[in-house]
Amino acid sequence: MNNYETVFIATPVLNDAQLSELVGKFRGVITENGGQIVSQEDWGLRKLAYPIQKKSTGFYFLLQFTGEGNIIEKLETQYNRDERVIRFLTFKMDKHAVEYAEKRRKNINTKKEE
Amino acid sequence: MAQNQTEIRYLNPPTVEVKKKKYCRFKKNGIKYIDYKDGEFLKKFLNEQGRILPRRLTGTSQKYQKKVATAVKRARHLAILPFVTDLMK
């Protein structure tokens, strides 16, 4: 059971309903193949450093999950098929990365409470 | 000819660059993981054109320089950092 972190960028032309449906779809892909979602973050609409597919902004989503290795192959085929996702990156986290993610989540929550 | 060589007087003594001992900031503050998602931190390792600074300038050790390089490349892939710009900072 390894830890993975995936970030993907969705096209800015989507409205909220389509966005949540998109994220739900990828969460489904993970949970169906025996993965467990640890946390999800959406950074909302952000300016891209360079235009991708002629678009200069995009919706960023981060999903941290644990699971077997074969999930990634399925997840990435879904990413490639879905044309609303313009860029994605999955990353296998080592123990330092997992610690860092917990610490980051803690101070994000504390910031929210203030 | 040789006399006026020695007669050159500087108004103020030339400031010789004092050699600052470079250290690896990751080893010093014990940072173990470099996150590819926060662009602000990674920008310290890029020059104005957005290129990765070499170790001889930043003084980081090879192990952490590789981690910085992969983190920067991932950030560039996710359009958090640009590949090339003219005025970064």
Side-chain angles (χ1 to χ4, degrees):
Chain A
M1 291 296 277
N2 327 336
N3 281 295
Y4 292 104
E5 190 181 70
T6 178
V7 182
F8 61 93
I9 309 176
T11 56
V13 293
L14 302 176
N15 57 28
D16 292 346
Q18 285 161 328
L19 276 183
S20 51
E21 183 261 333
L22 186 70
V23 177
K25 175 181 153 194
F26 290 123
R27 288 177 75 109
V29 166
I30 293 171
T31 42
E32 266 150 35
N33 300 317
Q36 246 182 349
I37 290 175
V38 173
S39 88
Q40 177 199 332
E41 270 173 48
D42 34 1
W43 302 340
L45 192 69
R46 260 176 71 145
K47 220 179 127 8
L48 302 178
Y50 51 89
I52 301 175
Q53 293 175 6
K54 312 283 186 304
K55 300 180 183 63
S56 67
T57 56
F59 285 100
Y60 277 74
F61 288 98
L62 167 86
L63 278 174
Q64 190 188 337
F65 60 96
T66 61
E68 289 309 314
N70 48 32
I71 293 181
I72 303 303
E73 199 194 333
K74 296 193 183 67
L75 182 67
E76 297 215 327
T77 45
Q78 289 298 329
Y79 277 139
N80 290 323
R81 271 198 209 115
D82 193 328
E83 79 281 352
R84 289 170 297 185
V85 173
I86 48 177
R87 189 64 58 100
F88 62 90
L89 173 94
T90 56
F91 160 67
K92 183 173 179 195
M93 306 170 75
D94 55 4
K95 61 183 185 321
H96 302 306
V98 175
E99 270 160 44
Y100 181 85
E102 251 107 44
K103 215 167 31 181
R104 186 167 171 268
R105 231 175 293 125
K106 239 180 259 124
N107 56 37
I108 282 178
N109 297 347
T110 45
K111 241 177 262 153
K112 258 190 220 129
E113 267 125 39
E114 270 136 33
Chain B
M1 174 52 188
Q3 280 80 9
N4 55 33
Q5 281 297 350
T6 57
E7 268 150 21
I8 294 172
R9 291 282 178 274
Y10 293 102
L11 288 179
N12 40 33
T15 59
V16 62
E17 178 75 45
V18 59
K19 177 102 185 45
K20 186 160 73 65
K21 176 78 190 67
K22 285 204 189 69
Y23 58 89
C24 171
R25 62 183 7 224
F26 297 104
K27 268 196 214 140
K28 212 169 208 311
N29 352 357
I31 303 172
K32 279 278 188 294
Y33 169 70
I34 300 159
D35 193 13
Y36 60 91
K37 297 190 286 297
D38 55 354
E40 292 320 310
F41 179 68
L42 292 178
K43 275 195 177 136
K44 296 196 185 76
F45 300 93
L46 303 180
N47 67 359
E48 276 70 29
Q49 281 75 31
R51 297 154 57 131
I52 300 173
L53 287 173
R55 280 175 57 208
R56 67 173 189 275
L57 297 185
T58 54
T60 55
S61 64
Q62 180 176 6
K63 177 177 165 187
Y64 287 103
Q65 177 75 8
K66 271 195 211 142
K67 289 188 169 152
V68 164
T70 49
V72 164
K73 285 165 191 167
R74 283 193 181 129
R76 284 177 179 160
H77 175 71
L78 279 177
I80 296 169
L81 288 179
F83 281 91
V84 67
T85 60
D86 38 16
L87 179 68
M88 164 83 90
K89 303 233 163 71

